[in-house]
Amino acid sequence: MGEGSSQSLVQKLIEGVNSITSIGEFKNYKKECAAVTRRVKLLLSLFEEVRDSKLPLPDPAFNCFKALEVALYAAKDLLILCHKGSKLYLTLERPKVLNHFQALAVEIVKALDGAPYNDLDVSDEVREQVELVHNQFKRLKGLEEAHDAQLHAELTTVLDETTERLISRAELEKLAEKFELTTAKAIKQETQALEWMKIERDPLIDGILDNEKGFEQMHTLLRNMKTLCPADNLEVDIPDLKKIQASEAAFLDKLRAHHPSEPSVSGGTDKGGSPNIPDDFKCPISLDLMKDPVIVATGQTYERAFIQKWLDAGNRTCPKTGLILAHTNLTPNYVLRSVIAEWCETQGIEVPKKSSGRPKLSNSTDFCCSEDRANIEDLISKLASGQTEVQRNAAGEVRLLAKRNIEHRIYIAEAGAIPLLVKLLWSPDPKTQEHAVTALLNLSINDNNKGQIVSAGAIHPIVEVLRTGSREARENAAATLFSLSVVDENKVTIGNCGAIPALVDLLRDGTPRGKKDAATALFNLSIYQGNKSRAVRAGIVPPLIELLGASNAGMVDEALAILAILATHPEGRTAIGQANATPMLIEIITSGSPRNKENGAAVLLALCTFDPAHIVIAQLLDAFGPLSELVQDGTTRAKRKAAQLLDLMRRQEAEKAEQSIIEDQSPGFSTDAGGHSALCI
């Protein structure tokens, strides 16, 4: 390799190491980050000696250094994320973050596996140091901290919607203390870190920052934590607070007077035969059982109709806490509504029906400032202008506004942008098309907007962009389909519009980010039974199997999760079996993550249940040992699947032994000493 290109590469490696070591203190994954930083720093002496020798790199050494350059870029992105990112979100995504640390270690180990020391003019001391780094990265997996794992477990337990219960104040205080979020300043910094991750996520680590629901959950959690701060700890200016509270109290009394309680479900006594309603189920304003509970900015929950009237009257504080609302957006409290419905059924009460009717446009104007409203309305008029350059620029600005906050998403949609953006999906200008589909992606984050996008006829043109658009447009089209497919009925519509073959093409041929977007969309769509056969016929299984074997691609989790869904369909099982997946599945069951072991066992069980040939293959590959370990150490579902697999294998062995005994006891011919055949029993 030429001297110039060699020196340039070595200099990049030196700069890469220096930039990593200068990142600073890590807020998250301190032990893992410190280990990576310390070990990468030890490589500096190798690069400096090679630089000082001024000799061109032989091809093997150049390839080794090139692989290290890629790994250092990945390390830098990951470490910056841990340095600047949200503690809450990165703890929530702990499995993904640890997978990235492990994938990084694998990359560096593979690069150093081929280090041609004999071709490099380096000292024995440097060689020993690099070999030490090589061995240390092989052991990176053991750095996981029990404390961090405990934080992850506690956080996910609190957020788990399947528990169907509210977050108690005690749990909230415990989390706030453990994450050191007990002051308004700390909460503000954490909120800023969360916003930074959302805005800057495109160039950062793929796969970690794609959990939209996780971002929303963390924002809600932070708003709840803010209510725990003492009043003198909040960085707000509240003039004439007593006067405001007095006028608000009078308004609350007036609201209650105009809306008497419903005798069948209200009140806190059972004197009239009605059951006692738990306080958490009552609206703090009406004191009645809530029909349509919504969460305000402070984290308190109210009946939608009452809190909306409170806000429409010009009030900007939380009725229960008295705190000023950061915004007036109302978030449906689906978990509480589900718990209330279950309670009503157990008490023999008719489940309260929430009032229909969509919030009026005036609702969004309460929290979208007049300057922003004027800007948005001007942009929407430009979207309809018919001039390509004007439309392109306007779509780009709408894209950015929709990305920034909830209020913009609501007002942009209500002001009529969605049909115009859908029309621009057919634009012959690639950049306009890209801006339009990305703007729709950002708008679809709001649940109410999903229905408007589908009603505007967006799915067919989005699929067309997915087929024929630019690289970024195709990726964002896939992400948009994923977002829309969260609504169950949309899964059917998207599948009927031919999206699945185009997503499979992106999964097979796309960039790493494109493959991630395609995989998440395909996973969601494949939950619907009718889409499973479409995916199999579109050729989804071969690229999924390829991703299983490419651990560096960082998509083993996604590929295995999709295979687990497809394995519940006859065509899916056939395709997976024909792809010779059993050896890979056993390898994953042996050494994969807990979730991957679980999914691997589920796929293998589906194959073995419907085709005994796979049991034979599993036995030949010594699957008994790893399955026995999984029965002892796996997740609850993994233990169940592994036990069923072991039962199938034992039955197969028993049937084989029984058949052997029958064959031994069957009549046959033998030959006597004279060479004559005789029947023997």
Side-chain angles (χ1 to χ4, degrees):
M1 195 58 59
E3 182 178 340
S5 56
S6 294
Q7 288 298 314
S8 173
L9 175 58
V10 172
Q11 187 57 38
K12 285 180 182 177
L13 289 167
I14 292 171
E15 291 170 0
V17 173
N18 289 333
S19 65
I20 285 173
T21 56
S22 63
I23 287 174
E25 185 180 354
F26 298 102
K27 293 191 299 182
N28 309 288
Y29 299 90
K30 295 180 181 179
K31 194 169 183 178
E32 290 86 349
C33 291
V36 170
T37 303
R38 185 172 63 252
R39 292 165 187 180
V40 163
K41 189 175 181 180
L42 291 174
L43 295 174
L44 188 60
S45 56
L46 168 66
F47 303 142
E48 288 177 339
E49 279 205 8
V50 172
R51 178 197 61 189
D52 294 342
S53 72
K54 297 183 179 179
L55 295 174
L57 291 171
D59 285 348
F62 189 88
N63 294 336
C64 169
F65 278 24
K66 200 69 183 170
L68 284 172
E69 181 191 19
V70 173
L72 289 183
Y73 276 123
K76 182 181 176 183
D77 283 348
L78 184 57
L79 295 176
I80 287 175
L81 189 64
C82 293
H83 169 64
K84 297 178 69 174
S86 156
K87 292 184 285 188
L88 285 169
Y89 182 91
L90 290 177
T91 299
L92 176 67
E93 296 297 309
R94 175 177 168 77
K96 292 182 181 178
V97 176
L98 292 179
N99 280 345
H100 273 78
F101 273 108
Q102 191 58 33
L104 173 65
V106 170
E107 268 193 72
I108 294 176
V109 167
K110 282 189 176 181
L112 293 176
D113 280 343
Y117 299 108
N118 295 333
D119 295 338
L120 297 171
D121 185 20
V122 295
S123 63
D124 291 342
E125 181 183 347
V126 167
R127 177 172 179 165
E128 289 174 3
Q129 194 163 290
V130 175
E131 288 175 344
L132 173 65
V133 172
H134 191 189
N135 290 328
Q136 287 177 335
F137 270 112
K138 288 180 179 178
R139 299 195 300 271
L140 186 64
K141 191 173 182 179
L143 290 171
E144 300 173 16
E145 289 200 49
H147 173 70
D148 291 343
Q150 182 64 28
L151 277 182
H152 170 72
E154 292 183 13
L155 179 61
T156 51
T157 298
V158 170
L159 295 175
D160 189 358
E161 292 183 357
T162 60
T163 58
E164 295 188 347
R165 60 177 176 79
L166 297 172
I167 300 175
S168 70
R169 185 180 180 87
E171 287 175 316
L172 201 58
E173 288 175 343
K174 185 178 178 183
L175 277 182
E177 185 176 345
K178 293 210 168 190
F179 283 93
E180 299 177 347
L181 297 171
T182 54
T183 66
K185 183 178 179 181
I187 292 171
K188 182 179 179 181
Q189 290 172 342
E190 178 71 1
T191 304
Q192 289 171 342
L194 198 61
E195 285 300 319
W196 172 82
M197 291 169 71
K198 289 184 71 175
I199 293 170
E200 299 294 331
R201 59 181 149 181
D202 288 345
L204 287 172
I205 306 295
D206 284 334
I208 296 177
L209 304 181
D210 57 4
N211 184 354
E212 289 294 346
K213 182 180 178 182
F215 277 114
E216 295 295 339
Q217 286 177 314
M218 295 307 100
H219 274 300
T220 301
L221 191 57
L222 285 168
R223 288 196 294 268
N224 288 341
M225 286 180 176
K226 194 172 181 180
T227 65
L228 301 176
C229 297
D232 58 358
N233 196 12
L234 295 170
E235 298 172 357
V236 292
D237 182 21
I238 311 178
D240 300 320
L241 183 60
K242 290 184 179 179
K243 290 182 181 179
I244 292 173
Q245 289 174 333
S247 64
E248 288 175 349
F251 182 79
L252 287 175
D253 291 340
K254 193 180 295 184
L255 260 182
R256 291 178 182 129
H258 282 84
H259 294 272
S261 299
E262 299 174 23
S264 61
V265 294
S266 63
T269 175
D270 58 1
K271 289 180 181 178
S274 298
N276 288 319
I277 301 173
D279 289 339
D280 287 337
F281 295 176
K282 298 177 188 176
C283 171
I285 297 174
S286 68
L287 304 181
D288 288 341
L289 183 68
M290 287 185 276
K291 304 174 183 177
D292 187 8
V294 292
I295 304 168
V296 298
T298 59
Q300 299 297 325
T301 297
Y302 298 90
E303 174 62 36
R304 183 187 291 275
F306 283 89
I307 191 63
Q308 190 63 63
K309 287 181 181 179
W310 167 264
L311 296 172
D312 289 344
N315 297 296
R316 288 297 173 268
T317 58
C318 172
K320 190 171 183 179
T321 65
L323 299 176
I324 289 179
L325 297 171
H327 58 75
T328 56
N329 193 34
L330 303 177
T331 304
N333 192 334
Y334 295 118
V335 176
L336 179 58
R337 178 165 167 72
S338 173
V339 176
I340 289 174
E342 185 177 329
W343 178 82
C344 287
E345 288 174 3
T346 59
Q347 298 295 327
I349 297 173
E350 183 180 354
V351 178
K353 295 179 180 178
K354 68 177 184 178
S355 57
S356 59
R358 190 169 159 273
K360 296 179 181 178
L361 182 60
S362 58
N363 179 37
S364 64
T365 62
D366 287 342
F367 51 81
C368 194
C369 72
S370 58
E371 184 179 344
D372 283 347
R373 293 200 303 272
N375 183 31
I376 288 168
E377 288 161 6
D378 180 54
L379 289 172
I380 290 172
S381 68
K382 289 177 179 177
L383 290 176
S385 69
Q387 301 174 40
T388 299
E389 187 173 352
V390 173
Q391 288 177 319
R392 182 196 308 128
N393 293 335
E397 289 190 50
V398 170
R399 167 185 180 174
L400 292 175
L401 284 170
K403 180 177 183 178
R404 286 173 187 158
N405 61 47
I406 297 169
E407 291 83 358
H408 288 159
R409 288 179 204 129
I410 295 172
Y411 191 78
I412 288 168
E414 292 181 338
I418 287 174
L420 297 171
L421 290 167
V422 170
K423 189 176 180 181
L424 289 179
L425 293 174
W426 297 108
S427 170
D429 179 61
K431 202 65 183 175
T432 301
Q433 197 180 63
E434 177 194 313
H435 287 329
V437 76
T438 311
L440 289 170
L441 166 62
N442 294 336
L443 290 171
S444 73
I445 294 169
N446 182 281
D447 284 342
N448 289 334
N449 291 345
K450 287 180 171 67
Q452 291 188 61
I453 292 169
V454 174
S455 298
I459 290 179
H460 182 55
I462 290 171
V463 172
E464 195 59 31
V465 173
L466 178 62
R467 287 197 189 107
T468 62
S470 65
R471 176 185 61 80
E472 188 171 353
R474 290 179 69 206
E475 292 169 355
N476 290 340
T480 307
L481 291 176
F482 163 70
S483 178
L484 296 176
S485 68
V486 170
V487 180
D488 284 340
E489 53 264 34
N490 291 346
K491 293 179 173 68
V492 182
T493 308
I494 294 169
N496 289 338
C497 284
I500 289 175
L503 287 167
V504 171
D505 287 342
L506 186 61
L507 180 70
R508 184 188 301 110
D509 305 322
T511 64
R513 180 189 163 194
K515 290 182 178 182
K516 289 271 187 185
D517 290 331
T520 51
L522 285 165
F523 173 83
N524 237 21
L525 291 171
S526 297
I527 293 171
Y528 170 60
Q529 187 74 2
N531 286 335
K532 293 174 185 175
S533 58
R534 288 192 178 104
V536 173
R537 291 168 193 170
I540 191 175
V541 171
L544 290 176
I545 298 298
E546 185 177 336
L547 289 170
L548 278 188
S551 57
N552 285 349
M555 288 190 59
V556 174
D557 296 5
E558 292 88 346
L560 203 51
I562 298 171
L563 287 171
I565 292 177
L566 297 178
T568 63
H569 191 279
E571 291 183 40
R573 289 191 294 272
T574 300
I576 296 168
Q578 290 173 346
N580 193 28
T582 302
M584 283 188 183
L585 294 173
I586 292 171
E587 184 179 341
I588 288 166
I589 292 169
T590 303
S591 58
S593 67
R595 182 63 181 274
N596 286 347
K597 288 181 178 181
E598 176 184 309
N599 281 331
V603 177
L604 185 59
L605 178 61
L607 295 179
C608 292
T609 301
F610 292 92
D611 186 353
H614 294 291
I615 302 176
V616 176
I617 297 171
Q619 290 170 328
L620 291 173
L621 293 171
D622 296 324
F624 190 88
L627 287 172
S628 298
E629 291 180 13
L630 195 58
V631 168
Q632 298 298 322
D633 305 324
T635 63
T636 302
R637 179 169 174 257
K639 288 178 180 178
R640 188 171 67 251
K641 301 293 182 185
Q644 290 173 285
L645 277 164
L646 288 172
D647 185 50
L648 283 175
M649 291 170 68
R650 291 187 183 106
R651 277 189 288 170
Q652 175 90 345
E653 285 288 340
E655 289 172 5
K656 186 178 176 182
E658 185 179 343
Q659 184 64 32
S660 178
I661 293 170
I662 292 171
E663 289 175 357
D664 289 344
Q665 293 178 345
S666 296
F669 288 93
S670 66
T671 304
D672 61 17
H676 303 289
S677 295
L679 179 66
C680 62
I681 303 296

